[in-house]
Amino acid sequence: MVAAVRPVEARYSVLHNISMAAVSAGMVTAAIVYFVRNPANAPTLSPNDPRFVLFTMLAAAMAYYVYIGVSRYRNRTPQLVIDRDGVFLGFGRDRRLAWKDIQWVRLRRLALRPQLEIGVAPEAFIAANLRLSMWNLDDGLRPIRGMPTAVLVRDNGLDITASAMLDAARTFRPNLVKS
């Protein structure tokens, strides 16, 4: 008797995202404490002071990362599911790609980390309307330059690695895995 293969689910990592929020909040707090203790070094509260504008923009960026970290910490829904029906992509899109629509899957190193690439049939890619952007740095899904119907799944902040995602795809559809 063949045992049923369990789906692989990737969720936002609790430790990664809460630590991102804590470090970001700590950076803003440290800057405020520093300027309170050393008022001579503090920028003037005026948009004409370039240091005030710089620190305000940095504080806004850190506050954004606090928000992202906390919201991802609280979000326990799977962001990626690989099962016998195909690949479900969360990350705010909540789209399922059926195995018949996936042409290939591979692992590719981008900078230091491996990333999962999924080649999708053009009709299915258009129908999925994944709203991919090169500019959204916090997004788990990215377009792949030079491959108009492929999607890159980043494992940054997820609780499993891209290589584990590839192993799951290999389990369900070994013929789709490219090297």
Side-chain angles (χ1 to χ4, degrees):
M1 182 191 302
V2 177
V5 179
R6 292 182 34 199
V8 171
E9 296 181 349
R11 290 179 170 75
Y12 286 123
S13 170
V14 172
L15 180 62
H16 177 274
N17 288 292
I18 202 64
S19 62
M20 176 176 65
V23 167
S24 299
M27 291 172 76
V28 172
T29 303
I32 291 170
V33 167
Y34 175 76
F35 289 136
V36 166
R37 287 187 176 176
N38 302 304
N41 293 336
T44 57
L45 299 177
S46 166
N48 295 331
D49 185 352
R51 291 183 324 138
F52 173 74
V53 173
L54 173 70
F55 283 112
T56 302
M57 290 176 61
L58 291 173
M62 292 299 104
Y64 172 73
Y65 281 106
V66 169
Y67 168 75
I68 290 292
V70 169
S71 64
R72 288 182 179 172
Y73 168 78
R74 295 179 59 213
N75 184 355
R76 299 310 307 147
T77 59
Q79 300 306 307
L80 180 113
V81 177
I82 301 173
D83 59 16
R84 63 180 177 82
D85 298 325
V87 178
F88 171 80
L89 300 172
F91 304 103
R93 277 75 162 194
D94 299 335
R95 302 286 194 266
R96 176 168 288 283
L97 301 172
W99 286 118
K100 67 178 178 59
D101 297 327
I102 297 174
Q103 297 175 328
W104 53 266
V105 179
R106 74 177 176 197
L107 202 61
R108 185 170 139 206
R109 290 210 177 273
L110 185 64
L112 298 175
R113 297 193 59 129
Q115 309 294 314
L116 183 71
E117 294 181 343
I118 303 171
V120 183
E123 305 82 26
F125 188 84
I126 291 168
N129 188 21
L130 295 173
R131 301 180 319 273
L132 302 176
S133 171
M134 293 293 280
W135 305 110
N136 192 348
L137 301 177
D138 294 324
D139 200 350
L141 299 178
R142 305 281 305 265
I144 302 172
R145 191 172 296 147
M147 297 181 183
T149 64
V151 62
L152 176 83
V153 179
R154 299 174 60 207
D155 65 355
N156 299 0
L158 296 179
D159 59 359
I160 66 170
T161 64
S163 55
M165 294 176 207
L166 181 70
D167 291 341
R170 184 177 287 126
T171 300
F172 290 103
R173 292 294 190 273
N175 60 322
L176 296 179
V177 177
K178 288 175 55 175
S179 54

